[in-house]
Structure formats: C-alpha cells, structure tokens
Amino acid sequence: MDNKTPDSIAQAVANTIQTNIRALFGKIQKSTPAVRQINIYPIKSCAEIQVASATVTSRGFQNDRIFQVVSKVDGAWHYCTPREKAFEKLFHIKTILSDNGKCLLLSSPHVSDTFTLKLKDAPTTSLTTTVMGGEEVSLEDYGNDVAEWLCNATGIDTDPRLVGIAHDNFDRCVEVNPDQGEELPTPSPIPLSLADEAPFLLTTQESLSDLKLKLKSAGKDAVDMRRFRPNIIIDGLEPWEEDSLKRIKIGSIEFHVWQRCGRCTMTTVDR
C-alpha cells in the first residue's frame, strides 16, 4: 500500500470515530470502516510499537523499519530474518523511541539489561549489506556496544550489527513481486524503507476472525494479529474485502491499496 501524496505529512489517528476509512471504489459499506490499530516496527523483524498516531511519509510511517540487524556470512553482510531458526529471538526485542526520536531503547526477556542508543551522538560507519530481495544498500553501522548487546540478547554468533537509514539520499524503491504480478499503482518511483515490499501493510480484523474460524474447524490453534506484522488494522469490512480495495482514505490522506502480500514461514513462528 502506497501513499498517494508522497510529500504530504498527516496524522493517522487510531481508535477514534473521526478517523474513518472510506473505500473509494464505489461500494456501499454496511458499516463505516475505521482504524482499529496502528503499529510501527523501528527495527525490521523485531517487536512492534502500538501507537495512537503516526506521521505518514513517502517511505511509510515515520520511524517504521528504518533499522535492521545484519550478520556476516562468508565475508559479506546480510540481513537477519526470523525465517531462520538462529534469528528467531529477534522477535523478542522490544524498542522504544524516546526524546523525540533521538534515543532508541532496546530490551529483551533474554537479557537483564536494557540498551540505550543515542542516535544523534552515536559514531557510525558505512556498511554495505543485502536487504530483502537480495539487493545491496549502504547503511549506517551503530557500533560495537549495541552489537554486543544484540549478540547477548539474540544468541546470534555471526557478528550481529545494528544498521539503519541515516541519510536522505537512501533511494531504495518498490518493485513488483513476480509472484503477485500486480503493476505499480503510479508511474513514478515509490520510495521504500527496509520493509519487504511496500511502505505500508494493511489488514482487517474481520479477515483474522475468519482465519481463526477456519483454523478452529481444522482442529488448529488460533493465531493473533502479531504474526502478520501489519502497520494498519481496520475493521468494519467483510472478511478479505481488503483484497478488492483500490484506494482508501484515512483522515485527509489517500492511499493506494496495491498487491496482496504473499506470506512466508514467519507467520508460523510463535512470538
């Protein structure tokens, strides 16, 4: 899902009647869809932060997926993903952005100490690493102290490093997923953070409820929404109706709804 007006800044406020979502494809809704929850994930693959409001930028919500953990394999740096058993403890790292985004606080149930990274003061060096999709990008490495904390918290023994977007000329862009084949919604390039495929991930409470019913009828355990790592959760639609949406409006901002998200084994990993 991509913001229709990339240079605009707006507040998308959850849990309020004033912040309604209006489907723009002409279908009359049985109820007024509304934002139920907004999440950001400062460090890709780590725990979410549920927020009351979020600033919309061309790359997604501000501070969403602007950091990731990488490790060295065969002499080269690669992103770490809980798809691999060795990296599952990344899910347990909680983050807090404080002091207007100037400090990143890290905690984990696997270590007793927390770590505070002062982003403005931290000495950084450039590091070239792969991101989702295999492309190489240049990111900023935040140093040995946070790297040591990550090693203790995750058990990753291949030199884990915290890296992030720290410059305005980061130019990663959205590409069509060949497994989905849906053309980009705009002719101009769509900026992207360290997210997998798109600046935002949208889902609905009704689709999760329907999935739970199907799992129950199959004798399977229920799952919660955290497994799907959405940015925006809405309710007031029919199950799976989001698959047919083309545009939605939250407050004053219109978004393209683009490309269903093909899910991987991360949705099967317990949090």
Side-chain angles (χ1 to χ4, degrees):
M1 185 174 70
D2 179 53
N3 182 8
K4 186 182 178 184
T5 54
D7 295 326
S8 63
I9 300 294
Q11 293 294 321
V13 182
N15 301 321
T16 172
I17 295 175
Q18 284 75 18
T19 305
N20 292 329
I21 296 180
R22 178 169 57 88
L24 299 176
F25 59 98
K27 184 173 181 179
I28 298 175
Q29 301 295 334
K30 295 180 180 178
S31 60
T32 302
V35 175
R36 182 185 181 110
Q37 187 173 314
I38 297 173
N39 298 317
I40 63 171
Y41 306 80
I43 305 178
K44 180 177 169 58
S45 295
C46 294
E48 77 284 355
I49 301 176
Q50 183 176 336
V51 295
S53 65
T55 300
V56 175
T57 77
S58 59
R59 287 195 187 114
F61 286 136
Q62 189 175 60
N63 297 320
D64 182 58
R65 295 174 172 96
I66 58 173
F67 304 97
Q68 71 178 22
V69 177
V70 301
S71 66
K72 184 173 283 189
V73 179
D74 296 330
W77 296 101
H78 298 277
Y79 69 98
C80 298
T81 169
R83 296 176 183 89
E84 299 179 35
K85 185 73 174 178
F87 303 141
E88 282 186 2
K89 289 182 179 179
L90 286 172
F91 277 144
H92 305 152
I93 294 178
K94 296 181 179 180
T95 59
I96 297 174
L97 284 164
S98 65
D99 194 16
N100 294 320
K102 295 178 182 178
C103 290
L104 180 68
L105 281 67
L106 307 179
S107 64
S108 167
H110 305 295
V111 290
S112 59
D113 60 316
T114 59
F115 189 91
T116 300
L117 179 64
K118 296 182 178 179
L119 297 171
K120 296 292 185 180
D121 300 329
T124 61
T125 56
S126 295
L127 184 149
T128 299
T129 181
T130 61
V131 293
M132 180 64 181
E135 65 182 300
E136 289 191 342
V137 298
S138 178
L139 298 171
E140 295 300 305
D141 180 348
Y142 282 90
N144 293 332
D145 291 343
V146 67
E148 182 179 358
W149 186 91
L150 285 170
C151 183
N152 294 331
T154 64
I156 299 173
D157 59 4
T158 50
D159 195 11
R161 313 290 296 184
L162 181 69
V163 296
I165 301 170
H167 43 81
D168 294 332
N169 62 348
F170 183 77
D171 59 359
R172 186 170 180 243
C173 293
V174 171
E175 295 182 1
V176 173
N177 183 334
D179 293 331
Q180 301 293 332
E182 186 173 342
E183 292 297 321
L184 295 175
T186 65
S188 56
I190 301 170
L192 185 61
S193 64
L194 298 173
D196 284 359
E197 295 183 359
F200 305 91
L201 184 60
L202 168 74
T203 190
T204 68
Q205 192 62 39
E206 288 77 11
S207 294
L208 178 66
S209 296
D210 186 64
L211 174 61
K212 288 181 177 180
L213 289 175
K214 289 180 168 63
L215 290 171
K216 183 178 180 180
S217 66
K220 305 292 185 181
D221 292 335
V223 296
D224 62 20
M225 190 66 86
R226 296 183 69 211
R227 291 185 183 239
F228 302 97
R229 303 179 67 77
N231 292 112
I232 302 171
I233 303 171
I234 59 177
D235 58 16
L237 296 176
E238 296 296 321
W240 316 110
E241 189 176 353
E242 64 270 28
D243 289 349
S244 64
L245 301 178
K246 296 301 181 184
R247 284 187 292 165
I248 62 172
K249 188 172 184 178
I250 305 176
S252 62
I253 299 297
E254 290 185 16
F255 299 81
H256 289 283
V257 182
W258 168 79
Q259 187 168 278
R260 290 179 296 177
C261 181
R263 305 317 301 249
C264 66
T265 57
M266 280 181 65
T267 60
T268 68
V269 180
D270 291 335
R271 301 297 190 267

